[in-house]
Amino acid sequence: MTTATEPLKAKDYKSDTRVVWCPGCGDYGVLSAVQKAYAALQLSLETTVAVSGIGCSSRLPYFLKTFGFHSLHGRVLPVATGIKVANPELEVIAFGGDGDGFSIGGGHVPHVVRKNTDITYILMDNHIYGLTKGQVSPTSNSGMVTVTTPYGSPDTGSVNPLSYVLTYGGTFVAQAFSGNPKQMADIIQQAIEHKGFSFVNIISPCLTFNKVDTFDFYKDSMTELPDDHDSTNLVQALDRAINPPPGRFYTGIFHKVQKPTLIENLRNINKKAGANKNLDLNTIMDNYKP
Ligand code: SF4
Ligand code: MG
């Protein structure tokens, strides 16, 4: 048993709920890296909240001992934002997959990014819908054969999660691979520590329904960003997100800068509003009386 004075270990963040992902699913590695990052940061079980949408990866909050909220398909970011704004003292970490985040939830992403909402978003990207048994997703490759695209996906292009978030002003944008647990845990830790919106795209293969983007394919393709990478240089980050060397994908922190967060901006507005003595709610409501 852990007492209040003992540091929490990774296993202390594990709930008693049986993990139900398919054997070998990439999401197991992500769960383990999240627990290690939580332990490294000594996150409190009482003030940490895991929020998710719908999909295989969105089950992750069940497997953590912290508070959790399994929301609706695509709605992870607005729910996470609401929790953070209601109680800024909470550490809010959002989890989801490529279908959840960039299909039905895609419209929410730019706004949470541009507001620099102080939450962490960990996306498990397997380039397919896993929970619904293998349909083409927004990050699937063009021409991909799935149960809904038996002659190949007709889409000309796919969503690049990194350039998507970078374009809207993401202040922390990184990519990891679930086959590299040490780097993944380190990146998740830095993402949580970052003040502002942090986005980590984790390549997390679905062994059951995606026979193309497999661990074997990625293990020889993932490359750490070059030593000369300047994470404050947005143009370089975008270039390396969109144009990695042929057949390769970069991992690491593409972009990291400091900007005011949504909570800081709201606090400043509250201060200004509080200084205005005319802003009495009853006075305002009186203006609407017939
Ligand atoms: Fe993982 Fe795919 Fe199984 Fe879902 S269907 S648990 S993503 S391996
Ligand atoms: Mg998916």
Side-chain angles (χ1 to χ4, degrees), residues 21-22 25 27 56 126 130-131 206-209:
W21 292 315
C22 307
C25 176
D27 296 351
C56 290
N126 55 17
L131 188 70
C206 167
L207 308 192
T208 306
F209 294 111

Side-chain angles (χ1 to χ4, degrees), residues 97-106 109 121 123 138-139 159 161 164-165 199:
D98 41 298
D100 185 67
F102 287 100
S103 188
I104 194 166
V109 178
Y121 186 25
L123 191 109
T139 60
V159 168
Y164 196 114
V165 176
F199 175 68

